Amino acid sequence: MEPCRLECDINDILDKLLNKGLALNADLIISVAGIPLLGVNLRAAIAGMETMLEYGMMEAWDKNTREWYTKEFAGRMAAPLVKGEEAIIRTFGSIWSSQGIISTWKPGFLYLTNNRLFLWRKEPPEMLFEVSLNKIERLMVKKENHFEKGREELYLQFDCGEVARIHVSNVTELEQTIKMTVGKELENRIVIPSEPTPLPEGEEIIREENLWYQFPAQGILGETSRPGRLCLTNKRLFWVSRVGNQKMFEVPLDKVTGANVKAHVLAPGIKAEDKVLNVAYDGGRALFCGKVEKLCEMESAIQEIFLKPLVPSIVMKT
Amino acid sequence: MSEAELARETEVTQGRYVYCIASCADELSLDNMGIEHAEVYTVSHKDIAAVVHACQSQPYESRDENKVKEWILSHNNVIDKASERFGTVLPFSFDAIVKGDDAAVKDWLSKGYEKLRQELERLRDRAEYTVQIFCDPNRLTDKIVGENQGLRELKEKIEKMPKRAGYLLQRKFELQVKDAYNVMRGKLAEEFASKMKEHVEEVKVEEKASHVPESYKDKKLIAAFSCLVHKEKVKRLGDALGEINSQEGHAVRFTGPWAPFSFVKPGEI
């Protein structure tokens, strides 16, 4: 068969002349940056969207979209500052919120102004926390555990007695600035209500570890692992849940009959190879899991109290 | 305005619209066949020349599509005429304009001389041809179904069912045929390429949906290629394509010769 050029129409030629062939180097050419309009129309007809964008065809659309976006969100994004109010610190921060069974950090932008301290979330817009500076009575920086690491957090107590817990990246700066802005002496001792009641006189903590407690079945709930803190004092062994700081397990030391770390414990949610701390006491046993080093530390701390290692006499339920 | 400033001004406002680079040592006038009947001429450096016309240093642009099409046809016409006269040329894209006058063009040619010379040498006596291979869609489906037992069984099942009940299965069948078609298309394209291979210097599969003329609209485009072919091998390529064309349900569209638009390297000079 013979090649033919007769039946070729303009489209074949356009395809080659617009999309192929040599192009000039940028410093020689005049038409590239200026975007030849023709190129736009024709190229668009042939090449579609990608080329349109490349040749700036959607610029107007892009501009409109940006304008719309700015307009649409302008009202929402601006922090609600009152007239005459001036932001002194504006930083990313979060506030501890504990309501019912939900306890969480709520993030937003923390503003310290000449008469308010507030945490503003842009999207969806919400005032997460707001207080007038003259209501702040006490201020305290405290080191807290945060995902196994210590970090500083700021506690504020207001004249109504309420306590707020705030975290920002530079807590000290925030504390100092609040002190300066408030312009009055602030006490720096706050009793944190959510903390467990302090230990009675004569009792002291020997060892404390973050461990999971195998919580016994209750009602329709089966056994569950819950996060919290296992405390060994010179009087008792108790475990406090991370949620709500409730004491859910407590045994006086004289009732404890033994503790050891072992694997192959049959319990729901625990794998056969996982090591658990097994505490035996008069009337039952309790299982704790977590990092092996922590389990072992706790084990030896308990055993030390009895001066000699105890072999727990536990008959495992199967 | 001082003389120097005036000179700079004219230099900036002058441009040279470039059609192509050809093997030509002389400075010739090629008639008023350029865009908007501009006088086309050659600007040479040693044995190569740029085919240009003098213009303002601003791109050709218009909202009138017909006008632009006319420009493009003129551009292509100049390339064809230059190819006839000088042999294979290096074609430029539409609207490539060198800033400055003939001296600027000469300067540019001298800087790119080695590269351009090499390209002209490489493409000498060769031209670009476009090959599009079409297939009758019904025949293709039959072929796909015939080769695939699963699809065959599905089809039989559908045919036995009442029309409405078979609807979902019919959709499933169509989707599977489509998948199978894409696989087959790849295979066929390879098969065709291997048939053409010995007759072409280079072949490029055109991945982008290329233009399909009206007369082929009822057929399915299976593969499109741009081929760089030596002038002595065009007949043999044509014979190979003729064979494909004569297969039942197949149609081949074979166009050319074109200047080597798809094969000039590098993209920028």
Side-chain angles (χ1 to χ4, degrees):
Chain A
M1 91 187 271
E2 294 283 321
C4 126
R5 278 283 292 271
L6 287 176
E7 59 161 321
C8 295
D9 52 27
I10 175 91
N11 292 300
D12 290 299
I13 297 170
L14 286 180
D15 190 30
K16 291 191 190 298
L17 260 76
L18 294 181
N19 298 323
K20 293 168 176 176
L22 288 173
L24 282 168
N25 200 329
D27 52 306
L28 281 161
I29 193 171
I30 342 170
S31 54
V32 162
I35 301 149
L37 208 60
L38 108 88
V40 176
N41 290 339
L42 277 180
R43 268 173 234 258
I46 295 172
M49 195 67 180
E50 223 171 278
T51 318
M52 276 198 258
L53 283 171
E54 194 182 321
Y55 286 88
M57 203 181 187
M58 301 302 282
E59 270 171 3
W61 172 84
D62 188 53
K63 191 166 153 257
N64 288 344
T65 310
R66 277 170 206 280
E67 268 171 16
W68 170 82
Y69 186 87
T70 318
K71 212 165 80 190
E72 188 74 6
F73 289 93
R76 297 198 202 167
M77 307 248 270
L81 287 180
V82 185
K83 206 173 175 191
E85 196 173 23
E86 208 184 287
I88 301 165
I89 288 184
R90 178 182 175 277
T91 175
F92 191 70
S94 48
I95 187 160
W96 180 252
S97 155
S98 182
Q99 279 178 332
I101 58 162
I102 300 167
S103 297
T104 184
W105 287 98
K106 287 188 173 176
F109 277 98
L110 187 84
Y111 283 79
L112 173 67
T113 72
N114 42 1
N115 47 31
R116 275 193 303 170
L117 179 70
F118 63 85
L119 189 70
W120 170 247
R121 185 178 62 198
K122 282 177 177 175
E123 197 57 35
E126 190 185 328
M127 192 60 100
L128 296 171
F129 157 78
E130 181 178 26
V131 69
S132 173
L133 286 188
N134 56 25
K135 293 220 184 325
I136 299 176
E137 299 264 56
R138 296 156 194 260
L139 194 64
M140 173 175 82
V141 175
K142 190 168 178 284
K143 217 166 177 112
E144 289 283 16
N145 236 351
H146 185 69
F147 292 106
E148 314 287 345
K149 278 185 201 146
R151 69 170 192 188
E152 290 193 323
E153 286 166 13
L154 186 70
Y155 283 87
L156 297 153
Q157 191 166 35
F158 316 121
D159 56 1
C160 56
E162 218 179 290
V163 173
R165 182 180 171 194
I166 287 171
H167 176 256
V168 293
S169 60
N170 193 342
V171 170
T172 325
E173 188 201 20
L174 180 64
E175 184 210 10
Q176 296 302 326
T177 323
I178 291 177
K179 275 184 181 165
M180 267 158 31
T181 320
V182 168
K184 67 176 181 192
E185 278 295 307
L186 295 175
E187 283 194 56
N188 63 354
R189 262 201 52 213
I190 298 176
V191 179
I192 297 156
S194 62
E195 276 209 332
T197 36
L199 297 173
E201 201 120 326
E203 185 172 4
E204 56 187 83
I205 288 178
I206 297 168
R207 182 131 218 127
E208 199 176 0
E209 295 290 357
N210 284 328
L211 291 174
W212 294 70
Y213 173 44
Q214 192 72 11
F215 194 75
Q218 211 176 39
I220 56 161
L221 272 180
E223 267 187 293
T224 47
S225 272
R226 299 192 184 181
R229 217 166 70 238
L230 185 63
C231 284
L232 176 68
T233 73
N234 51 357
K235 299 240 162 84
R236 336 168 254 171
L237 182 67
F238 65 88
W239 180 88
V240 177
S241 165
R242 187 184 289 171
V243 180
N245 270 318
Q246 270 176 294
K247 206 184 290 158
M248 288 176 165
F249 167 81
E250 185 176 17
V251 187
L253 275 193
D254 53 8
K255 298 265 189 208
V256 175
T257 57
N260 69 345
V261 173
K262 56 189 279 184
H264 300 291
V265 174
L266 292 167
I270 297 177
K271 280 185 251 155
E273 64 270 25
D274 286 347
K275 292 217 163 136
V276 298
L277 174 66
N278 196 357
V279 176
Y281 58 93
D282 228 5
R285 58 135 190 177
L287 295 180
F288 299 93
C289 25
K291 285 196 181 146
V292 179
E293 313 88 75
K294 291 183 174 182
L295 294 173
C296 293
E297 296 256 12
M298 199 43 115
E299 177 195 34
S300 47
I302 296 173
Q303 289 180 350
E304 250 171 54
I305 291 185
F306 296 95
L307 292 173
K308 56 177 196 301
L310 299 178
V311 181
S313 51
I314 299 171
V315 181
M316 302 303 303
K317 280 185 244 166
T318 50
Chain B
M1 202 183 280
S2 78
E3 218 164 283
E5 269 171 326
L6 194 74
R8 208 175 312 129
E9 187 85 348
T10 32
E11 196 191 312
V12 175
T13 55
Q14 265 196 53
R16 293 291 181 269
Y17 185 101
V18 188
Y19 294 91
C20 57
I21 306 282
S23 300
C24 162
D26 306 318
E27 309 235 315
L28 308 161
S29 169
L30 301 178
D31 227 344
N32 297 334
M33 62 175 180
I35 287 171
E36 308 257 296
H37 308 290
E39 191 205 349
V40 178
Y41 61 98
T42 59
V43 178
S44 64
H45 170 76
K46 296 191 187 169
D47 54 348
I48 64 171
V51 177
V52 302
H53 79 241
C55 63
Q56 293 290 303
S57 88
Q58 64 189 37
Y60 282 86
E61 52 186 27
S62 167
R63 284 178 188 278
D64 179 358
E65 209 175 294
N66 290 327
K67 195 168 179 187
V68 174
K69 282 184 176 166
E70 216 171 277
W71 289 343
I72 295 212
L73 284 174
S74 307
H75 182 120
N76 191 52
N77 184 39
V78 171
I79 288 178
D80 284 348
K81 290 274 152 56
S83 306
E84 269 170 38
R85 185 155 177 179
F86 306 115
T88 306
V89 299
L90 309 181
F92 267 80
S93 245
F94 179 74
D95 233 354
I97 300 170
V98 171
K99 218 186 292 182
D101 56 7
D102 289 353
V105 176
K106 269 186 197 290
D107 185 40
W108 163 59
L109 284 180
S110 70
K111 276 183 193 147
Y113 178 76
E114 283 305 320
K115 256 187 191 170
L116 295 168
R117 183 71 260 162
Q118 261 172 29
E119 271 308 88
L120 280 168
E121 216 48 62
R122 185 175 71 89
L123 298 169
R124 181 191 291 280
D125 293 332
R126 287 155 179 85
E128 180 171 330
Y129 290 84
T130 303
V131 176
Q132 289 170 311
I133 300 173
F134 299 86
C135 205
D136 181 345
N138 295 327
R139 195 173 285 269
L140 203 63
T141 310
D142 287 349
K143 193 177 175 208
I144 288 168
V145 175
E147 284 175 6
N148 186 323
Q149 198 186 343
L151 283 171
R152 226 165 38 230
E153 282 165 9
L154 194 60
K155 197 180 177 194
E156 281 164 19
K157 205 167 155 192
I158 294 167
E159 278 161 2
K160 280 183 203 142
M161 283 172 112
K163 210 170 184 183
R164 278 195 193 177
Y167 176 76
L168 282 178
L169 277 184
Q170 180 66 34
R171 289 283 303 140
K172 188 177 164 189
F173 175 74
E174 279 162 16
L175 281 176
Q176 286 186 8
V177 168
K178 207 172 161 190
D179 287 346
Y181 164 73
N182 283 331
V183 173
M184 181 171 226
R185 212 173 102 138
K187 262 195 237 157
L188 285 174
E190 258 172 53
E191 199 183 297
F192 294 139
S194 69
K195 274 186 190 164
M196 298 189 302
K197 208 170 180 183
E198 55 180 309
H199 312 299
V200 302
E201 310 279 311
E202 222 180 299
V203 60
K204 279 190 177 148
V205 179
E206 296 295 331
E207 301 286 357
K208 230 177 65 186
S210 48
H211 163 70
V212 175
E214 237 7 87
S215 50
Y216 291 88
K217 275 287 189 305
D218 59 330
K219 300 218 163 53
K220 236 180 174 135
L221 179 65
I222 296 189
F225 307 96
S226 293
C227 311
L228 185 67
V229 190
H230 192 278
K231 66 178 179 187
E232 278 165 13
K233 287 188 177 169
V234 175
K235 201 181 164 308
R236 268 177 270 172
L237 176 63
D239 291 345
L241 292 172
E243 240 168 73
I244 298 174
N245 195 33
S246 60
Q247 279 175 34
E248 281 273 307
H250 283 71
V252 177
R253 183 164 179 255
F254 183 29
T255 66
W258 302 92
F261 281 99
S262 309
F263 298 96
V264 277
K265 283 181 269 184
E268 280 191 5
I269 289 183

